[in-house]
Amino acid sequence: MESFEQVKKQYTPMIYKIISSLNIFMNKDEFFQIGLIALWEAYERFDPEKGNFTNYAYTFIKGRLLTEMNQSNRHMENTCPVNEEFLDYVEDEFSLCPLEEDILLSYCQAGSLTENQTKWVLYTCLKGFNVKEIAAMEKVSLSAVKNWRTAATDKLRKAIKENKVL
């Protein structure tokens, strides 16, 4: 059998014909590349004893393009573009809810937390910051924030046991 470069030259019009027959108008270049890959796979897998290469290549390429079309269509059906108007109605998950902050502050008061321990609770629970981020924002060491965390959790556990919280 001839080299793949010769096969590619010979069968490129067939790939374009298959793309046209499947009414593919969007992403033609992408589908052409898929067709070329399918041609190469057909070239690699072909057994001359089993028949004509042209028929085999045509069927192989068309099957691969149909599979890709189905996957692409399924993806398009399952996703939809977002309108900018829609984004105005989406709630920001990091926006503060005053009620949540008030509840956390009441827990901190009931547990007799210091100012820094209260900062740790608010940063962690409301904003989802980790110890490194809190240390960077407060311009303190990592161990200082870890100490705030340890003391705050101990005090809050004690307050819960004594039924000061809840």
Side-chain angles (χ1 to χ4, degrees):
M1 197 163 173
E2 53 215 60
S3 74
F4 180 71
E5 288 300 318
Q6 293 170 334
V7 171
K8 178 184 164 191
K9 277 185 186 176
Q10 182 179 352
Y11 289 94
T12 295
M14 183 173 76
I15 295 172
Y16 282 117
K17 180 66 178 165
I18 294 170
I19 290 172
S20 175
S21 72
L22 293 174
N23 295 320
I24 297 172
F25 298 107
M26 294 175 54
N27 305 328
K28 278 187 179 182
D29 292 336
E30 182 180 332
F31 280 97
F32 178 75
Q33 287 300 319
I34 293 166
L36 274 180
I37 293 168
L39 177 64
W40 180 77
E41 288 178 12
Y43 174 78
E44 290 290 313
R45 294 180 181 184
F46 179 66
D47 183 4
E49 295 176 5
K50 293 188 177 181
N52 185 357
F53 179 74
T54 304
N55 294 340
Y56 180 72
Y58 182 86
T59 306
F60 200 92
I61 294 167
K62 188 170 184 177
R64 184 61 55 85
L65 291 175
L66 285 170
T67 301
E68 184 61 31
M69 281 178 57
N70 286 335
Q71 289 175 350
S72 177
N73 289 340
R74 220 175 298 124
H75 177 72
M76 293 287 279
E77 288 171 3
N78 292 333
T79 59
C80 64
V82 177
N83 293 338
E84 296 224 6
E85 296 170 11
F86 175 74
L87 293 176
D88 293 337
Y89 297 106
V90 175
E91 185 176 328
D92 181 15
E93 68 179 83
F94 293 109
S95 66
L96 294 176
C97 176
L99 185 58
E100 288 176 358
E101 188 173 358
D102 291 344
I103 292 169
L104 285 173
L105 287 172
S106 70
Y107 286 172
C108 293
Q109 253 182 342
S112 303
L113 269 59
T114 66
E115 182 182 341
N116 289 333
Q117 293 164 353
T118 302
K119 285 181 187 178
W120 175 81
V121 169
L122 295 176
Y123 282 140
T124 303
C125 296
L126 287 179
K127 299 190 179 182
F129 293 146
N130 63 32
V131 176
K132 283 183 182 179
E133 294 168 329
I134 296 170
M137 286 187 301
E138 291 297 317
K139 296 182 174 106
V140 294
S141 68
L142 224 56
S143 60
V145 178
K146 288 179 181 178
N147 289 336
W148 300 349
R149 176 183 63 194
T150 303
T153 54
D154 290 345
K155 287 181 180 180
L156 289 173
R157 282 188 187 120
K158 184 179 176 187
I160 289 171
K161 269 187 179 176
E162 296 172 359
N163 291 324
K164 289 183 183 176
V165 179
L166 297 176

